Amino acid sequence: LLAGGCGGPVAAECFDDDGRLELLQRFATEHEAPSPLSLDSRASQRANLSARTLRGGGVRLALRTPTAGPNDCSRRGPVPEDQMPVWDGSPASFFDDYRPYADIQRYLDSLVERYPKVVTPKTIGQSWEGRKLSVLEITDPTNGVPSEDKPCIFVEGGIHAREWIAPAAVMQVAAKMAQEASRPGRSAALQRYVFTFLVPVNPDGYVYTWEANRMWRKTRSNRSEYACRGVAAGVDANRNFGYTWGDTADASYARDLREPCTEVFIGPAAFSEPETRAVANYLRRRQRRSQATGTTDASGAALPGPGYAAAFIDVHSFAQKLLPPWAFTASYPEGADGSYQTGLTTSMVRAIESAGSRKRFSAGPDLFPADPGTGPDWAYGELGVRATMTIELEPTVSWWGGGFCLDRSNIRSVGEEQIAAIGALAQYLLDHGDEPSRSYGFFAA
């Protein structure tokens, strides 16, 4: 998400450039945002800019004094030692709070230890600062099909560092899958598919949100030629994928995308970030192997072999929306793929809304302004994965909601909703087919 409420009152740090502020101004004007909006008093320079921009839309602003705490959007500097969440190592208590990176790694390791027959860790790369990028592959092995020969449902969270609820939700899905795969009467989905989970996609940025700046969004790549005010600029990893990288007709947004100090800096080249390269390489290997072992139909068209990527889900916050391709045009693909994606997102929305909390979600590629270089667009455009989308978690775009700093009391309910959503996705693939697109990607006719 480009802009939005940070911890209720809108923190000035959320908006690093005029383009994003204009988006907020437009939204405030069109949707009659309550007044006053609040800005963090520590960001005086940005507050002045924000006030000037927003008053043009008839929105009055008031400054607030921030409070300290690990999940306070206004926090600068490390989490105070006496406020650091302490995990006792029990799986039952892990989702009582948000967890620092070291505890996330401990929890993921514990899934491997508790479910060694169904959970396999694999290192697929390392971050800019040298942290391992490891996935968990989860499947029911009792049907004798190796995991590399099963279609892959890939689920990632935390590509934007400040969106703490995303990796927390994805880990709950992973834990549920591991439990289900270990029980008698396993689901058809866990026999058919290997579920691959990656959290956090952006570990350097996630660590930085705990150590320096709760609202940090980008990677922590530090290239001297792309420094921002003398410090690491980082890159928006969800604008760094190679399909339609930097491709926009909006001249103002094009400048934002190439400016290192903006939240949406696309980097010096497509896949410049080791984090996006690791994801791409992992899934490309599957698609290439499937292509190499595939056959042809009567017309000579390529048919996939085993082990192709069947789904790519990128979990974010916030807005309560499902965003299938195309992000770069904000419109559905034409033909059968568009109908397939409409049916898929409809099924997932119904599952989320029936999961207990009955939150309202919407779906469609046109719910946000057009954005190039996103992961789901790449998965569809280059790999041909039809079941691909961004999921924007709680809350809605609300001036008084938790925003990027959603309260810890919501962690479990959000996780339950996403367990239902990924379950519905798997069932849709079983019912409607999971093969790659015939219009885009490796198996295009």
Side-chain angles (χ1 to χ4, degrees):
L1 196 68
L2 297 184
C6 297
V10 180
E13 291 90 340
C14 294
F15 312 104
D16 277 348
D17 57 89
D18 286 329
R20 304 294 75 89
L21 287 165
E22 290 168 2
L23 178 61
L24 174 59
Q25 178 189 8
R26 187 171 72 235
F27 189 95
T29 302
E30 293 175 356
H31 297 269
E32 298 182 355
S35 181
L37 298 180
S38 298
L39 292 170
D40 191 325
S41 60
R42 290 188 298 191
S44 58
Q45 183 176 0
R46 290 180 188 167
N48 290 336
L49 175 61
S50 303
R52 184 170 63 251
T53 305
L54 290 171
R55 284 189 188 112
V59 180
R60 182 167 57 88
L61 295 119
L63 297 181
R64 66 174 169 84
T65 301
T67 57
N71 192 32
D72 182 350
C73 276
S74 65
R75 175 176 52 77
R76 293 294 180 272
V79 175
E81 186 175 348
D82 62 348
Q83 296 177 5
M84 181 68 74
V86 177
W87 179 42
D88 61 9
S90 166
S93 65
F94 184 78
F95 296 108
D96 290 347
D97 208 334
Y98 295 105
R99 303 297 177 184
Y101 177 74
D103 283 348
I104 288 177
Q105 298 310 300
R106 287 173 58 206
Y107 182 78
L108 296 175
D109 289 344
S110 77
L111 289 179
V112 178
E113 293 168 1
R114 283 184 286 145
Y115 308 106
K117 294 182 179 180
V118 302
V119 181
T120 302
K122 286 188 178 179
T123 299
I124 63 172
Q126 66 177 25
S127 69
W128 179 273
E129 294 180 349
R131 293 180 175 88
K132 283 197 308 182
L133 298 170
S134 295
V135 299
L136 296 185
E137 294 182 343
I138 301 177
T139 191
D140 171 9
T142 58
N143 61 2
V145 179
S147 61
E148 60 268 23
D149 287 343
K150 295 185 176 185
C152 173
I153 294 177
F154 187 91
V155 185
E156 66 176 24
I159 198 167
H160 288 154
R162 64 191 177 193
E163 298 167 10
W164 287 6
I165 189 61
V170 172
M171 284 187 287
Q172 289 179 81
V173 180
K176 183 66 172 180
M177 293 295 177
Q179 293 164 7
E180 291 297 319
S182 301
R183 293 173 179 165
R186 301 167 179 89
S187 74
L190 282 161
Q191 292 186 347
R192 167 73 177 165
Y193 301 109
V194 55
F195 291 79
T196 300
F197 298 94
L198 175 61
V199 291
V201 186
N202 175 13
D204 301 344
Y206 186 81
V207 169
Y208 195 73
T209 63
W210 285 81
E211 294 183 348
N213 180 350
R214 175 62 184 85
M215 285 303 295
W216 185 260
R217 167 186 167 101
K218 298 183 285 183
T219 67
R220 292 296 298 159
S221 54
N222 188 7
R223 300 174 175 91
S224 58
E225 67 272 33
Y226 293 100
C228 176
R229 306 180 188 99
V231 299
V235 167
D236 182 349
N238 199 38
R239 305 293 183 275
N240 191 240
F241 285 83
Y243 197 83
T244 70
W245 178 78
D247 183 6
T248 177
D250 183 331
S252 176
Y253 193 39
R255 289 191 296 272
D256 291 346
L257 292 172
R258 288 166 174 78
E259 168 52 53
C261 292
T262 66
E263 298 277 60
V264 292
F265 177 47
I266 60 175
F271 296 113
S272 62
E273 304 310 281
E275 297 85 357
T276 56
R277 287 200 305 274
V279 170
N281 290 339
Y282 175 84
L283 292 170
R284 281 169 175 161
R285 278 192 293 270
R286 280 191 164 272
Q287 231 61 347
R288 287 168 180 158
R289 182 174 178 272
S290 175
Q291 187 180 51
T293 58
T295 58
T296 57
D297 63 16
S299 67
L303 298 175
Y308 50 83
F312 179 95
I313 306 299
D314 186 20
V315 181
H316 288 251
S317 72
F318 61 97
Q320 293 181 202
K321 300 182 188 302
L322 275 60
L323 308 171
W326 295 108
F328 85 100
T329 61
S331 60
Y332 278 109
E334 296 180 355
D337 287 354
S339 298
Y340 179 94
Q341 290 161 359
T342 301
L344 171 61
T345 55
T346 299
S347 295
M348 293 173 69
V349 165
R350 288 173 179 162
I352 292 170
E353 293 179 351
S354 300
S357 60
R358 299 192 177 277
K359 304 250 182 73
R360 295 300 301 273
F361 274 67
S362 54
D366 58 346
L367 302 180
F368 282 167
D371 263 320
T374 66
D377 272 14
W378 167 81
Y380 178 52
E382 181 180 316
L383 302 183
V385 178
R386 293 184 294 162
T388 180
M389 71 189 72
T390 296
I391 298 179
E392 294 281 357
L393 302 176
E394 280 85 331
T396 59
V397 178
S398 166
W399 303 117
W400 309 113
F404 294 114
C405 303
L406 188 68
D407 188 80
R408 65 185 180 180
S409 63
N410 295 279
I411 293 173
R412 293 181 187 277
S413 64
V414 172
E416 288 296 325
E417 292 162 9
Q418 294 313 306
I419 289 168
I422 300 303
L425 175 143
Q427 189 61 52
Y428 189 89
L429 268 57
L430 289 169
D431 294 342
H432 298 274
D434 56 28
E435 297 82 7
S437 173
R438 302 301 299 272
S439 300
Y440 291 91
F442 278 59
F443 303 97

